[in-house]
């Protein structure tokens, strides 16, 4: 059973609403700040980017890496979190 | 990369061409898609280069080289040029119109269009042929463009550059065009001591040169704002000369060095220098060294030229390096198999050089040859190194096969020797015998006699053996011996006795009793029968087989023992693992229950803590394996436990969380079940009759008949009522109407007063989540309904003293059910 963090479970449990981008799994303070500086201040904006990339994991990871410098684990966490959210609510 | 020039649509279509359907290209997704495009192109280029490598096989090495180059170049160029071709042509055309002479272009195009786009091989071969053929023409033409020589050199170079630039737009032609022109000008330089010769299409091109010279210059000048861009480009054509063949580069280099036409050819000098630098640089950079260095510039010609065109935005430099790097890799890949080709090429070139140089004897020519040989030698050296390296590998493989062969031969030799040994053992006896005999001339004869006798006996024995597998040889003695001896050799007649004595003396006859006298010898037996070959073979075969069986049986037995041991060990471990798993589950469950009561505890337990609490410190290293197995088992097979990562005290721990909701009795306690839950409204005059009217009560909404499960839920209702009215010991009859939709319960009390008290206690109370209402009933109706109630007069009491239904939620709810289940019917 793969382990998911508490953050992941909290995020996936309910519609994201106006949650900040730091509520995403894998995105902490530093990365969240960077994303906000780029204009991705809410989780739904990042979701939008994920959807624009057609929910392609690899592309989204690349984008994350380019945008906020996330490492592999953080990319994976964020991507998985969004994917699961989409599966549940989209 | 000039991909920045790609519009969104182009990027989109490029990605689609690779079979990848991208999402919308927005400002955010653009870099991502650019990266993806680059990656896809690199993959394609690699695939192309691999294809190009396989395509090369040597009938026409030169053409193949060119082909390979062009092909390897092509996908790469495609990758860089593909999407850009449209851009490039768009960008190029105005530039070309600006800079290039149309006439030249037109002239070039037919010459290049001669070579069909799809057949670079033929084109290359044509180019080569042209080169070879042009040698003579070049020589003949040497004199004519004498004054133009210098100019032609520069022109040639420029032409080459231009041709290559012109060829940018055309993917296939470019290689050929460039090769063609390069070859030509190379020849020119070669034959003319670096004084530029005419080109292949001298008639056509000479005029063009003259026409296009200024235009070319102008074009270049106009086109390329940066001179440094110009320089590398120029040097590339320079280098491209050399890349043509092994010696050619140096040759032309030498030529150029020699020529160094003054005046207008500062560029040439610069080209020279740059070329040499490039060559040296490239030689150093690549593992394939010189050849690669030669080849390397070929590609960049296109690149740089393309880049120049594309790179109006000024991205040429890093693009160039980027492309160069990518191409160099493909080059080096593709170049290695070419070595053999090149060595032959170089030799042919050398021949050609000598041919061409024949008419032109000059110091420069000799120099050229020198220069030619140097890079050629380097190339050959590299080739040899490669060969040696490859042969090294071969040797090891060779050695291996030889070794196996030798081993087999040795084995068979040994077998043969063993056979022979059996035969030759007789001679040892003879040797032994000869020791005893002191130097006598008869010695030899006696030896011979004995030998023959031995052989004969062995033969007889062998026959016997062969027949009956028994070593019995009844040879009646002396007479037959004598006869035998006589038949063998008359010399032996006298010596039979002595020989027999010898046998006795040596004592090697193996007789049971010592034989002292000849006459006592009755039987001669050969202990070493000389058996026929087949018999021998069979015996050997059987012994070998038996031995092999023995060994195999021994091994098998050992293996079986080991397997049994392992199996036992594994069983033991599994048992221990299950034991551990059960203990872990117990711990977690108890912890969960503790957490239910005590909300301060965290609902999960860190795994290391669990381990340390279950396993004694001295056992921890021993049980480590079992613990790991238990962990894996739990994560795979146990659904009630979840493994998570939690942060405890600042450190991340793997924890176990018990996620089974409470068991059935617990579950029911979560919902209000069969307990009195308080009053909904206070009873006052409004909602209750002032005084109890009758001793019979009808209680509504105590239960829902549909929802009730179990056998004795009505008894639970009884219990509940009794407990609610425990202070009132006047209830004599309770009847639960199981089928009523309203959940009605009928109660009869001793008197109206008791029923009034019960009414007050029950009416308006919450029970099991339902609001209970009470109504007075007429006694006679009650008795009609329940005739058995007429006789009841003993007050009922709750069966358990625990007052389970009165308790608040969650307190030992299991017991309530148990007690209700246990209560016996007492109506």
């Amino acid at each position: 059973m793969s382990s998911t963090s508490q953050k992941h479970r909290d995020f996936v449990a309910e519609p994201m609403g106006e949650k900040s981008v730091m509520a995403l799994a894998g995105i902490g303070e530093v990365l969240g700040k960077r994303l906000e500086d780029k204009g991705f201040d809410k989780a739904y904006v990042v979701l939008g980017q994920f959807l624009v990339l057609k929910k392609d994991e690899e592309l989204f990871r690349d984008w994350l890496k380019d945008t906020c410098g996330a490492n592999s684990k953080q990319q994976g966490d964020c991507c998985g979190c969004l994917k699961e959210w989409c599966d549940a609510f989209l | 990369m000039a991909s920045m020039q790609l519009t969104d649509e182009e990027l989109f279509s490029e990605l689609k061409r690779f079979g990848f359907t991208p999402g919308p290209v927005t400002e955010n997704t653009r870099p991502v898609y650019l990266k993806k495009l680059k990656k896809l192109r690199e993959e394609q280029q690699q695939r192309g280069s691999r294809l190009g490598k396989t395509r090369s096989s040597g009938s026409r090495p030169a053409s193949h080289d060119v082909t390979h180059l062009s092909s390897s170049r092509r996908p790469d160029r495609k990758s860089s040029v593909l999407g850009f071709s449209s851009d490039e042509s768009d960008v190029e055309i105005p530039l070309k119109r600006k800079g290039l002479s149309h006439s030249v272009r037109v002239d070039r195009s037919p010459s290049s269009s001669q070579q069909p786009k799809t057949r670079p091989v033929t084109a290359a071969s044509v180019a080569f042929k042209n080169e070879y053929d042009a040698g003579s023409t070049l020589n003949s033409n040497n004199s004519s463009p004498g004054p133009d020589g210098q100019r032609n050199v520069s022109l040639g170079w420029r032409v080459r550059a231009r041709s290559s630039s012109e060829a940018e737009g055309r993917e296939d032609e470019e290689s050929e065009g460039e090769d063609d022109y390069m070859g030509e000008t190379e020849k020119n330089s070669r034959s003319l001591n670096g004084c530029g010769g005419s080109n292949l299409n001298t008639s056509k091109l000479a005029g063009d040169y003259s026409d296009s010279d200024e235009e070319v210059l102008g074009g270049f000048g106009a086109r390329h704002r940066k001179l440094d861009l110009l320089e590398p480009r120029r040097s590339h054509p320079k280098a491209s000369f050399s890349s043509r063949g092994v010696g050619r580069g140096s040759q032309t280099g030498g030529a150029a060095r020699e020529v160094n036409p003054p005046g207008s050819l500062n560029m040439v000098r610069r080209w020279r220098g740059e070329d040499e630098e490039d060559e040296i640089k490239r030689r150093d950079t690549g593992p394939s060294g010189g050849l690669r260095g030669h080849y390397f510039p070929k590609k960049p010609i296109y690149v740089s030229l393309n880049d120049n065109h594309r790179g109006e935005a000024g991205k040429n430099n890093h693009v160039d390096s980027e492309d160069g790097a990518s191409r160099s890799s493909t080059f080096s890949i593709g170049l290695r198999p070419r070595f053999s080709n090149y060595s032959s090429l170089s030799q042919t070139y050398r021949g050609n050089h000598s041919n061409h140089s024949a008419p032109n004897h000059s110091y420069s020519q000799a120099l050229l040859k020198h220069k030619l040989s140097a890079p050629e030698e380097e190339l050959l050296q590299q080739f040899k190194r490669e060969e040696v390296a490859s042969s090294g590998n071969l040797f090891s493989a060779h050695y291996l096969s030889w070794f196996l062969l030798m081993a087999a031969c040795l084995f068979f030799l040994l077998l043969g020797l063993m056979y022979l040994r059996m035969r030759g053992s007789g001679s040892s006896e003879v040797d032994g015998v000869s020791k005893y005999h002191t130097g006598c001339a008869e010695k030899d004869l006696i030896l011979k006699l004995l030998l023959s006798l031995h052989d004969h006996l062995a033969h007889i024995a062998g026959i016997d053996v062969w027949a009956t597998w028994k070593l019995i040889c009844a040879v009646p003695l002396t007479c037959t011996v004598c006869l035998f001896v006589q038949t063998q050799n008359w010399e032996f007649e006298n010596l039979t006795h002595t020989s027999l004595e010898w046998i006795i003396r040596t004592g090697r006859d193996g007789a049971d009793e010592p034989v002292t006298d000849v006459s006592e010898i009755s039987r001669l037996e050969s202990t070493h029968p000389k058996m026929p070959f087949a018999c021998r073979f069979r015996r050997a075969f059987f012994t070998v087989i038996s031995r092999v069986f023995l060994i195999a049986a021994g091994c098998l037995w050992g293996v079986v023992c080991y397997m049994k041991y392992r199996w036992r060990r594994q069983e033991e471990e599994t048992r221990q693992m299950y034991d551990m798993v059960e203990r872990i589950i117990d711990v977690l469950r108890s912890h969960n229950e503790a957490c239910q009561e005590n909300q301060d505890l965290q609902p999960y337990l860190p795994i290391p803590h669990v381990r340390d609490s279950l396993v004694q410190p001295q056992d921890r290293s021993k049980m480590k394996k079992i613990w790991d197995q238990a962990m894996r088992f739990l994560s795979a097979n146990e659904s009630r436990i979840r493994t998570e990562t939690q942060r405890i005290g600042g450190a991340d721990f793997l924890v176990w969380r018990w996620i089974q909701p409470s068991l059935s009795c617990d579950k029911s306690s979560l919902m209000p079940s069969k307990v009195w839950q308080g009053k909904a409204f206070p009873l006052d005059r409004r909602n209750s009759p002032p005084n109890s009217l009758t001793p019979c009560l009808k209680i509504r909404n105590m239960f829902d008949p549909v929802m009730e499960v179990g056998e004795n839920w009505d008894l639970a209702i009884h219990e509940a009522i009794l407990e609610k009215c425990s202070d009132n010991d006047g209830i004599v009859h309770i009847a639960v109407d199981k089928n009523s939709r309203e959940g009605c319960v009928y109660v009869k009390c001793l008197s109206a007063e008791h029923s009034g008290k019960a009414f007050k206690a029950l009416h308006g109370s919450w029970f099991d989540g339902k609001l209970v209402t009470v109504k007075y009933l007429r006694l006679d109706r009650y008795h009609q309904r329940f005739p058995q109630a007429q006789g009841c007069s003993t007050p009922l009491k709750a069966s358990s003293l625990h007052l389970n239904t009165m308790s608040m939620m969650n307190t030992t709810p299991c017991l309530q059910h148990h007690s209700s289940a246990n209560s016996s019917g007492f109506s």
Side-chain angles (χ1 to χ4, degrees):
Chain A
M1 192 168 170
S2 75
S3 66
T4 50
S5 65
Q6 187 61 42
K7 228 176 163 188
H8 174 109
R9 285 195 294 282
D10 290 342
F11 192 81
V12 175
E14 54 176 1
M16 64 172 81
E18 294 290 321
K19 281 187 189 165
S20 151
V21 75
M22 297 193 209
L24 283 166
I27 307 290
E29 284 188 27
V30 174
L31 295 183
K33 184 83 178 50
R34 290 188 197 156
L35 280 173
E36 280 171 12
D37 291 342
K38 294 269 174 77
F40 298 87
D41 55 344
K42 293 284 186 188
Y44 60 73
V45 188
V46 179
L47 171 72
Q49 184 67 19
F50 180 65
L51 296 175
V52 158
L53 291 169
K54 292 195 149 184
K55 297 199 224 168
D56 184 316
E57 198 171 322
E58 202 185 316
L59 287 181
F60 183 68
R61 285 169 90 127
D62 284 342
W63 175 83
L64 259 188
K65 188 176 161 82
D66 291 337
T67 311
C68 60
N71 66 28
S72 173
K73 181 185 185 300
Q74 291 161 332
Q75 294 165 18
D77 285 347
C78 186
C79 194
C81 173
L82 280 176
K83 207 177 215 157
E84 212 172 305
W85 191 93
C86 286
D87 291 340
F89 294 102
L90 218 48
Chain B
M1 197 156 52
S3 52
M4 287 304 286
Q5 286 194 351
L6 281 179
T7 66
D8 287 345
E9 291 83 31
E10 276 160 359
L11 184 55
F12 195 78
S13 57
E14 281 306 312
L15 284 169
K16 270 206 178 152
R17 212 183 297 188
F18 285 102
F20 167 75
T21 52
V25 182
T26 68
E27 60 169 273
N28 278 325
T29 60
R30 207 185 157 81
V32 179
Y33 283 131
L34 283 174
K35 258 206 263 182
K36 181 98 187 175
L37 181 65
K38 198 167 80 150
K39 200 167 58 156
L40 286 168
R41 280 189 180 158
E42 275 167 17
E43 278 173 18
Q44 206 194 44
Q45 160 201 341
Q46 284 214 354
R47 256 182 275 122
S49 74
R50 252 180 270 126
L51 279 175
K53 236 196 321 179
T54 58
R55 222 184 303 167
S56 71
S57 55
S59 61
R60 280 215 44 125
S63 56
H64 282 174
D65 299 333
V66 174
T67 310
H68 167 74
L69 278 173
S70 60
S71 64
S72 67
R73 225 178 312 139
R74 201 175 309 126
D76 181 69
R77 242 163 5 83
K78 254 189 189 149
S79 65
S80 55
V81 168
L82 245 190
F84 307 146
S85 59
S86 55
D87 285 345
E88 211 177 16
S89 52
D90 293 339
V91 175
E92 252 188 22
I93 287 170
L95 286 172
K96 283 188 183 164
R97 290 216 187 93
K98 233 192 322 176
L100 276 174
S101 67
H102 285 290
S103 61
V104 177
R105 233 175 174 248
V106 166
D107 289 330
R108 290 279 178 271
S109 46
S111 64
S112 49
S113 62
Q114 287 170 15
Q115 307 140 3
K117 285 189 187 189
T118 56
R119 302 286 311 191
V121 178
T122 54
S125 58
V126 165
F128 266 97
K129 259 195 231 126
N130 288 339
E131 287 174 19
Y132 287 121
D133 296 337
S136 49
T137 58
L138 286 174
N139 294 335
S140 60
N141 290 333
N142 283 351
S143 50
S144 50
D148 290 341
Q150 293 185 351
R151 220 167 128 236
N152 277 345
V153 173
S154 59
L155 275 178
W157 286 327
R158 259 181 251 135
V159 162
R160 189 161 303 131
R162 196 160 40 87
S163 68
S164 48
S165 70
E166 143 198 24
E168 292 161 3
R170 277 161 250 149
E171 295 161 15
D172 291 328
E173 289 171 359
E174 288 173 18
S175 55
E176 300 118 29
E178 190 199 36
D179 296 342
D180 200 7
Y181 298 131
M182 269 170 30
E184 295 157 11
T185 41
E186 272 183 9
K187 287 236 162 204
N188 293 343
S189 53
R190 205 174 357 106
S191 58
L192 300 174
N193 301 342
C195 289
S198 56
N199 267 334
L200 181 56
N201 310 324
T202 40
S203 55
K204 225 194 302 184
L205 297 175
D208 296 334
Y209 284 160
S210 51
D211 292 339
S212 57
D213 189 14
E214 302 83 9
E215 289 174 358
V216 171
L217 276 175
F220 283 147
R223 208 183 315 165
H224 311 288
R225 301 165 199 164
K226 298 180 197 169
L227 202 53
D228 55 342
L229 291 177
L230 182 64
E231 287 180 4
R233 228 192 44 236
R234 296 291 167 80
S235 66
H236 288 154
K238 204 44 276 302
S240 68
F241 308 164
S242 50
S243 64
R244 189 36 154 200
V246 177
R248 286 222 181 151
S250 60
Q251 183 195 12
T252 54
R257 255 174 254 130
E258 294 314 301
V259 174
N260 242 348
S264 66
L265 302 176
N266 297 340
M267 292 196 262
V268 173
R269 204 171 284 129
R270 232 184 321 183
W271 295 352
R272 253 284 79 81
E274 303 240 352
D275 174 44
E276 284 175 2
E277 277 173 24
D278 286 336
E279 276 190 15
I280 292 166
K281 233 191 322 180
R282 284 174 197 127
R283 281 217 188 105
D284 295 340
T285 50
S288 43
L291 191 57
R292 183 170 159 282
H294 288 143
Y295 269 86
F296 186 79
K298 231 185 186 177
K299 200 89 199 260
I301 289 174
Y302 303 126
V303 178
S304 58
L305 291 167
N306 295 340
D307 294 342
N308 289 334
H309 288 299
R310 261 182 278 128
E312 305 294 337
K315 292 202 161 202
N316 292 348
N317 291 334
H318 58 264
V319 175
D320 192 355
S321 58
E322 212 179 59
D323 287 338
S326 61
R327 279 190 208 106
S328 63
S329 59
T330 56
F331 264 132
S332 52
I333 292 169
L335 282 174
R336 286 202 151 256
R338 295 285 173 281
F339 273 15
S340 55
N341 298 336
Y342 280 121
S343 65
S344 59
L345 245 188
S346 66
Q347 277 148 21
T348 55
Y349 283 152
R350 232 176 290 161
N352 290 335
H353 291 161
S354 55
N355 288 342
H356 291 305
S357 59
N360 298 318
H361 297 289
S362 65
Y363 173 67
S364 58
Q365 201 61 297
L367 253 182
L368 286 177
K369 266 196 188 158
H370 268 288
K371 300 275 187 326
L372 168 69
S373 52
E376 268 187 12
E377 277 170 12
E378 192 177 325
L379 175 69
L380 285 173
Q381 273 169 13
Q382 283 174 356
F383 176 55
K384 274 179 203 140
R385 256 180 268 135
E386 233 201 20
E387 215 179 34
V388 167
S390 62
S391 57
N393 292 335
L394 277 176
F395 278 158
S396 62
H398 199 56
Y399 277 145
L400 190 63
S401 59
W402 259 112
F403 171 68
L404 284 175
L405 205 58
M406 296 298 289
C409 289
L410 276 173
F411 174 67
F412 284 119
L413 269 175
L414 279 172
L415 274 182
L417 283 173
M418 271 176 59
Y419 286 139
L420 288 176
R421 192 158 37 110
M422 290 169 69
R423 282 191 63 189
S425 56
S427 52
S428 58
E429 276 194 17
V430 176
D431 292 338
V433 165
S434 65
K435 274 187 235 160
Y436 288 84
H437 189 82
T438 53
C440 177
E442 301 169 338
K443 176 168 116 181
D444 294 333
L445 289 174
I446 291 175
L447 279 176
K448 269 193 238 167
L449 164 66
L450 280 176
L451 201 55
S452 59
L453 182 61
H454 185 86
D455 285 344
H456 178 69
L457 287 172
H459 185 70
I460 291 173
I463 290 172
D464 269 344
V465 166
W466 171 240
T468 63
W469 284 97
K470 279 186 275 186
L471 286 174
I472 298 175
C473 168
V475 177
L477 179 57
T478 4
C479 38
T480 47
V481 169
C482 289
L483 269 173
F484 169 70
V485 160
Q486 273 160 8
T487 55
Q488 293 294 311
N489 194 344
W490 64 270
E491 291 172 339
F492 292 158
E493 274 185 41
N494 308 327
L495 303 174
T496 46
H497 278 277
T498 35
S499 58
L500 287 173
E501 273 167 18
W502 279 12
I503 289 173
I504 295 164
R505 225 174 294 152
T506 59
R508 287 171 63 157
D509 55 357
D512 291 335
E513 39 198 47
V515 174
T516 49
D517 194 16
V518 176
S519 54
E520 288 183 16
I521 297 174
S522 58
R523 294 165 60 140
L524 278 178
E525 202 175 307
S526 168
T527 51
H528 293 275
K530 184 167 73 175
M531 294 178 280
F533 178 71
C535 167
R536 215 191 283 258
F537 177 74
R538 258 177 60 171
R539 284 186 51 150
F541 178 71
F542 279 118
T543 44
V544 164
I545 290 288
S546 58
R547 274 193 215 127
V548 163
F549 270 144
L550 270 175
I551 293 171
C555 285
L556 208 63
W557 180 77
V559 163
V560 162
C561 281
Y562 178 65
M563 292 297 284
K564 282 208 322 214
Y565 164 70
R566 278 286 301 272
W567 184 67
R568 255 184 290 122
R569 266 264 301 274
Q570 272 181 356
E571 274 212 350
E572 174 73 22
E573 275 178 15
T574 317
R575 191 183 54 76
Q576 279 182 331
M577 184 198 79
Y578 283 130
D579 180 46
M580 178 70 62
V581 165
E582 279 182 22
R583 278 166 42 194
I584 293 171
I585 290 178
D586 286 338
V587 163
L588 281 174
R589 192 188 295 144
S590 59
H591 181 79
N592 183 49
E593 283 167 12
C595 287
Q596 303 272 1
E597 297 169 11
N598 181 2
Q599 294 297 329
D600 291 336
L601 293 176
Q602 298 289 343
Y604 45 76
L605 278 178
I607 293 179
H609 294 188
V610 173
R611 180 195 68 206
D612 294 337
S613 62
L614 284 180
V615 180
Q616 296 301 318
Q618 56 266 27
D619 298 333
R620 279 196 201 141
S621 54
K622 277 191 288 174
M623 301 289 274
K624 181 165 168 39
K625 189 165 164 215
I626 301 201
W627 178 263
D628 291 338
Q629 280 182 349
M631 262 185 71
R632 263 181 271 125
F633 180 83
L634 278 177
S635 56
N637 297 0
E638 181 62 53
S639 61
R640 297 174 291 180
I641 296 179
R642 182 164 70 189
T643 315
E644 319 171 338
T645 318
Q646 292 287 348
R647 185 163 274 260
I648 298 177
D652 284 325
F653 274 91
L654 268 177
V655 301
W656 275 325
R657 185 196 288 263
W658 180 263
I659 56 173
Q660 184 191 34
S662 356
L663 296 171
S664 52
C665 63
D666 289 342
K667 203 191 275 197
S668 58
S669 75
L670 293 177
M671 307 181 315
S673 65
K674 302 280 184 290
V675 289
W676 291 102
Q677 291 160 324
K679 267 194 146 6
F681 46 83
L683 288 171
D684 59 6
R685 301 178 71 81
R686 270 191 312 121
N687 50 28
S688 66
N691 55 337
S692 55
L693 304 170
T694 68
C696 302
L697 300 172
K698 179 179 176 189
I699 308 171
R700 278 212 202 92
N701 207 18
M702 282 285 289
F703 57 89
D704 190 352
V706 175
M707 296 287 288
E708 293 301 328
V709 294
E711 293 291 323
N712 298 326
W713 56 268
D714 55 337
L715 295 178
I717 305 283
H718 284 233
E719 276 298 312
I721 292 172
L722 283 170
E723 280 170 9
K724 189 78 169 153
C725 310
S726 54
D727 57 341
N728 173 11
D729 49 357
I731 297 174
V732 296
H733 176 251
I734 304 179
V736 175
D737 189 355
K738 287 193 184 182
N739 303 322
S740 72
R741 277 191 330 271
E742 294 177 338
C744 296
V745 182
Y746 299 92
V747 174
K748 183 182 172 194
C749 299
L750 274 174
S751 65
E753 180 192 346
H754 290 185
S755 69
K757 271 169 67 177
F759 183 95
K760 283 192 180 62
L762 293 170
H763 183 64
S765 298
W766 290 101
F767 179 73
D768 199 7
K770 303 186 199 37
L771 190 59
V772 173
T773 57
V774 187
K775 199 172 94 162
Y776 286 105
L777 278 181
R778 281 181 33 189
L779 190 59
D780 50 355
R781 286 279 166 80
Y782 194 91
H783 284 164
Q784 265 177 7
R785 185 93 186 264
F786 302 103
Q788 68 271 26
Q790 290 168 343
C792 290
S793 59
T794 53
L796 297 171
K797 277 251 185 280
S799 60
S800 75
L801 301 170
H802 239 301
L803 296 178
N804 288 323
T805 56
M806 300 294 291
S807 59
M808 298 307 291
M809 274 171 59
N810 296 346
T811 321
T812 63
C814 294
L815 292 171
Q816 169 218 341
H817 259 257
H818 291 156
S819 61
S820 53
N822 289 338
S823 62
S824 48
F826 44 76
S827 56

